[in-house]
Amino acid sequence: MNYTEPNYISELVEKHEATIRAEWIENLQSSLIRNDTSLQEQLKRHCTQFLSLLAQATKGNSNDIESAKWDEVRHLLAEISVSRAKQGSTPTETATFVFSLKEVLFKLIRTELAGNGEALASVTLSISQFLDNLGLYTVEVFQKSRDQIIARQQQELLELSTPVVKLWQNVLALPLIGTLDSARTQVVMENLLQKIVETGAAIAIIDITGVPTVDTLVAQHLMKTIAAARLMGADCIISGIRPQIAQTIVHLGVNLEDVVTKATLADAFMVALTRMGASITFAKHD
């Protein structure tokens, strides 16, 4: 095999594919955090696919991984990166899939090109270029996938942390826990309005007992939620007004004059029942 031929790397991989694959897989398996059978089989499949596609992509000695010749290689690496992100792997573990192949290939070419320093330097540089670029590509795809997963999980947590509960016929309760920011306010409004539409509720109790602090921004978010609910035909009652929160609201100059406020959810619920023409009576026990 002549190292000056454009297809040298491709021919090298094809000629020694079995050896390269076996040593590469052995190195990768030793770094697996979870060494179960399914992961091992997946790893073997990915290594076999990658080497086959690599042999095709390096024909002509092109190191430009953005070219059309490398499309299938990039597609496989993207698939692997997304899968690793879902499995909870780290960026380093994901990039190792590509970077660990360097050691195997360098060991092979040192043997094949022993005594030919110029050839060894040229081939080593070529392999380093495209493997480094492919490794960086896997990290980029992995990071994007993980960011998407985190964003989706955050959205799901927001939705789970803003449950709308039906307390009574036409009476809903929205208990808020934690900080009320712009993103969460949007989720709160969407969930509340959707529930109003579904149930035809006339009263919604917004309980802020679990909201640690109320500042101007939080107050504005509350007013927006109340305004949106009113547009849908439901009146709002705010419960959980503690002394310090009441003082803060007065200090901020927030106008809640046209909004009924109560100290506890129970008090707000009693107001809601009265408005609905219902009442609770307690049986006397002898």
Side-chain angles (χ1 to χ4, degrees):
M1 187 186 304
N2 188 342
Y3 79 90
T4 60
E5 294 177 359
N7 295 330
Y8 173 76
I9 296 176
S10 176
E11 292 177 6
L12 179 77
V13 173
E14 289 179 339
K15 177 182 177 182
H16 300 282
E17 183 174 355
T19 301
I20 294 171
R21 182 173 64 250
E23 189 171 341
W24 186 25
I25 291 174
E26 183 179 353
N27 291 345
L28 286 171
Q29 285 180 330
S30 64
S31 65
L32 284 177
I33 295 178
R34 292 185 299 113
N35 200 22
D36 56 52
T37 304
S38 62
L39 283 180
Q40 290 181 13
E41 291 303 317
Q42 183 187 66
L43 187 62
K44 291 177 182 178
R45 184 174 68 256
H46 286 160
C47 288
T48 301
Q49 292 174 324
F50 183 83
L51 288 175
S52 176
L53 294 175
L54 181 64
Q56 297 174 32
T58 51
K59 285 181 179 178
N61 202 29
S62 172
N63 292 341
D64 182 11
I65 70 163
E66 299 297 329
S67 65
K69 288 180 61 177
W70 290 83
D71 283 351
E72 291 188 64
V73 176
R74 293 198 311 274
H75 178 76
L76 175 63
L77 288 178
E79 179 184 315
I80 293 172
S81 297
V82 172
S83 174
R84 294 287 181 92
K86 292 179 179 178
Q87 292 169 356
S89 299
T90 66
T92 300
E93 290 167 346
T94 304
T96 298
F97 176 80
V98 174
F99 290 141
S100 61
L101 181 57
K102 270 188 178 185
E103 181 184 349
V104 180
L105 293 179
F106 288 168
K107 178 180 177 181
L108 182 60
I109 62 175
R110 281 197 298 268
T111 301
E112 283 219 342
L113 302 177
N116 192 336
E118 182 182 351
L120 181 60
S122 176
V123 176
T124 299
L125 177 61
S126 180
I127 291 174
S128 290
Q129 285 178 339
F130 68 74
L131 284 184
D132 285 348
N133 289 333
L134 289 174
L136 292 174
Y137 175 77
T138 62
V139 173
E140 290 175 2
V141 175
F142 175 89
Q143 191 62 49
K144 288 179 182 178
S145 300
R146 192 169 67 170
D147 288 345
Q148 291 173 352
I149 291 171
I150 292 173
R152 185 170 64 250
Q153 290 174 339
Q154 288 176 335
Q155 181 66 21
E156 291 171 353
L157 285 173
L158 280 176
E159 294 174 356
L160 288 172
S161 65
T162 54
V164 182
V165 183
K166 184 176 180 180
L167 292 181
W168 200 267
Q169 184 69 29
N170 296 327
V171 179
L172 300 176
L174 176 61
L176 298 178
I177 300 174
T179 304
L180 193 62
D181 56 19
S182 298
R184 193 173 179 205
T185 299
Q186 186 63 34
V187 175
V188 166
M189 283 196 291
E190 289 176 0
N191 289 354
L192 180 58
L193 297 182
Q194 182 62 38
K195 199 69 174 180
I196 290 172
V197 171
E198 291 176 2
T199 62
I203 298 176
I205 301 172
I206 301 176
D207 183 66
I208 62 171
T209 303
V211 177
T213 59
V214 173
D215 54 20
T216 304
L217 193 58
V218 170
Q220 289 174 350
H221 291 323
L222 284 174
M223 297 308 294
K224 287 179 181 179
T225 303
I226 292 169
R230 284 176 173 173
L231 288 174
M232 298 301 297
D235 201 8
C236 289
I237 302 172
I238 298 180
S239 64
I241 302 293
R242 304 184 297 279
Q244 60 270 33
I245 288 182
Q247 292 175 11
T248 301
I249 290 175
V250 171
H251 178 72
L252 294 173
V254 178
N255 185 9
L256 292 178
E257 291 181 0
D258 59 342
V259 180
V260 176
T261 59
K262 291 294 178 180
T264 67
L265 178 59
D267 293 337
F269 184 45
M270 294 300 293
V271 172
L273 288 178
T274 301
R275 289 190 180 183
M276 300 306 301
S279 63
I280 295 178
T281 57
F282 298 94
K284 293 182 179 180
H285 299 283
D286 295 331

